């Protein structure tokens, strides 16, 4: 981790007292899976790849379309009709050659979510539908994962972090996405 390339590449993070060498080492040893590679997911991918994170998982079942190009900036005209996960992987490797990337060209559902997120420290949910968020919520609860959920509609956006598997100082559980939406039916483990 102390080679000249690494030090120069991450020098602006290393000099920040909030990150420093110790924090950069934590970043390097962390893994994140991004579910959804649209406008939000492609932006999250850019910054995670450039941050020096060690491993990223990419989940999307879509192909690049012409209508994506104006807001999903990792994709180019030559990428139209290609799988988003493949193009995103190529983009990230060019940005950070030491990055480990895993791809899942599939739609997330209750049958595959546990296997998909199992090996990741953090779940970055950039999906675009309620049902997928419920599936992710339940899996993160049972697997004790930190889930960062973000969404955009028009000019409105929201971001929340859920750690519903944890307890507060009063031994009460942290809220889940289901608490926020008042949807109490958990998917069985």
């Amino acid at each position: 981790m102390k080679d000249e390339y690494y030090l120069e590449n991450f020098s602006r993070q290393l000099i920040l007292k909030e990150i420093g060498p110790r924090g950069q080492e934590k970043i390097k040893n962390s893994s994140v899976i991004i579910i959804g590679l649209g406008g939000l997911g492609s932006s999250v991918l850019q910054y995670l790849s450039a941050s020096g994170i060690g491993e990223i998982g990419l989940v999307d079942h879509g192909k690049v379309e012409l209508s994506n190009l104006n807001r999903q900036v990792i994709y180019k005209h030559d990428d139209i009709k290609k799988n988003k996960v493949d193009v995103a992987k190529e983009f990230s490797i060019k940005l950070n050659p030491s990055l480990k990337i895993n791809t899942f060209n599939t739609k997330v559902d209750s049958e595959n979510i546990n296997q998909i997120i199992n090996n990741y420290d953090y779940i970055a949910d950039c999906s675009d539908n309620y049902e997928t968020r419920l599936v992710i919520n339940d899996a993160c609860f049972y697997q004790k994962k930190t889930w960062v959920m973000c969404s955009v509609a028009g000019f409105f956006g929201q971001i929340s972090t859920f750690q519903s598997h944890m307890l507060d100082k009063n031994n009460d559980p942290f809220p889940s996405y289901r608490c926020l939406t008042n949807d109490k039916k958990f998917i069985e483990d």
Side-chain angles (χ1 to χ4, degrees):
M1 176 160 149
K2 302 289 185 205
D3 66 10
E4 285 182 43
Y5 173 83
Y6 187 87
L7 291 174
E8 184 176 343
N9 191 31
F10 301 110
S11 63
R12 299 305 187 257
Q13 290 169 216
L14 291 165
I15 63 173
L16 295 171
K17 69 178 182 175
E18 295 86 356
I19 297 178
R22 197 164 142 190
Q24 190 62 41
E25 185 71 20
K26 284 183 178 181
I27 292 170
K28 182 181 178 187
N29 293 323
S30 294
S31 62
V32 176
I33 190 159
I34 303 169
I35 301 174
L37 293 168
L40 285 172
S42 59
S43 295
V44 168
L45 177 61
Q46 283 181 291
Y47 287 103
L48 282 177
S49 297
S51 75
I53 198 151
E55 183 175 353
I56 296 177
L58 304 172
V59 184
D60 200 301
H61 67 285
K63 294 188 182 293
V64 178
E65 299 174 6
L66 179 59
S67 64
N68 300 148
L69 302 184
N70 71 323
R71 65 192 192 290
Q72 300 175 19
V73 296
I74 66 171
Y75 307 120
K76 309 295 180 235
H77 278 87
D78 292 347
D79 299 326
I80 293 173
K81 296 186 180 177
K82 293 180 183 176
N83 292 327
K84 284 186 173 183
V85 292
D86 297 334
V87 176
K89 178 179 180 177
E90 186 178 320
F91 171 87
S92 294
I93 296 297
K94 286 180 182 175
L95 193 58
N96 181 355
S98 65
L99 185 58
K100 180 180 178 189
I101 298 275
N102 304 301
T103 60
F104 302 86
N105 188 18
T106 189
K107 183 176 181 172
V108 167
D109 60 32
S110 61
E111 299 295 319
N112 64 16
I113 187 65
N114 287 312
Q115 182 180 357
I116 289 172
I117 70 169
N118 188 49
N119 295 320
Y120 295 91
D121 301 318
Y122 303 96
I123 315 309
D125 172 18
C126 303
S127 65
D128 60 2
N129 68 80
Y130 179 69
E131 292 77 21
T132 300
R133 287 187 190 105
L134 291 176
V135 167
I136 295 167
N137 174 82
D138 297 350
C140 288
F141 174 81
Y142 289 117
Q143 287 197 36
K144 298 179 172 42
K145 303 278 185 181
T146 296
W147 171 36
V148 180
M149 185 273 305
C150 52
S151 63
V152 169
F155 292 103
F156 175 76
Q158 68 183 62
I159 185 167
S160 297
T161 300
F162 295 97
Q163 295 177 313
S164 56
H165 58 279
M166 297 178 70
L167 302 175
D168 68 15
K169 64 183 179 188
N170 297 321
N171 230 16
D172 292 324
F174 285 7
S176 74
Y177 183 69
R178 287 188 182 273
C179 296
L180 179 68
T181 62
N182 206 25
D183 188 335
K184 304 295 185 207
K185 183 181 175 231
F186 269 79
I187 296 171
E188 295 301 317
D189 186 17

